[in-house]
Amino acid sequence: MQQRPFLAFISKVAIIANLVYLLSTLFLFITWLKIPRDIAQFIAVMGLELAPFVNLIFALILLIRFLQKKAINLPPWQTIFNISMLLLQIGLLFI
């Protein structure tokens, strides 16, 4: 399996999970918004549990490719967004 398609796939999954993470964080602060229980559970699991895990996988693969000095064929905004979200998630973990 080639690394480029796998890295691109993980990056896109991480973007979707990060957007759901932002949505779930927003729901934590907006208490008056009532959403169905099933949707809330899906958002909580995908956002709060899956997003940090996928971001860690993405960051590790990116670090390995960088250390091997292989080309990283991703748009820069995807890399910046995913790494900044990982830093935000780590920061919010300790608050």
Side-chain angles (χ1 to χ4, degrees):
M1 178 179 229
Q2 296 176 348
Q3 289 289 354
R4 162 66 172 103
F6 184 69
L7 184 62
F9 173 74
I10 290 293
S11 177
K12 290 173 185 166
V13 170
I15 288 171
I16 294 168
N18 286 329
L19 292 175
V20 175
Y21 176 81
L22 291 174
L23 185 66
S24 64
T25 306
L26 181 68
F27 284 151
L28 290 174
F29 292 110
I30 300 176
T31 57
W32 55 266
L33 185 63
K34 303 295 181 198
I35 56 174
R37 182 179 174 179
D38 294 336
I39 295 173
Q41 289 174 347
F42 173 77
I43 290 172
V45 168
M46 187 166 176
L48 298 174
E49 295 181 17
L50 184 66
F53 180 69
V54 173
N55 275 337
L56 280 175
I57 291 173
F58 173 76
L60 288 174
I61 293 172
L62 194 67
L63 180 67
I64 290 169
R65 290 192 53 89
F66 180 75
L67 291 176
Q68 291 176 345
K69 297 183 180 180
K70 291 186 178 177
I72 300 169
N73 298 327
L74 289 176
W77 68 269
Q78 284 183 356
T79 306
I80 292 169
F81 179 73
N82 287 332
I83 297 298
S84 64
M85 286 301 298
L86 178 63
L87 294 175
L88 177 73
Q89 291 163 357
I90 291 172
L92 289 177
L93 179 69
F94 293 112
I95 292 178

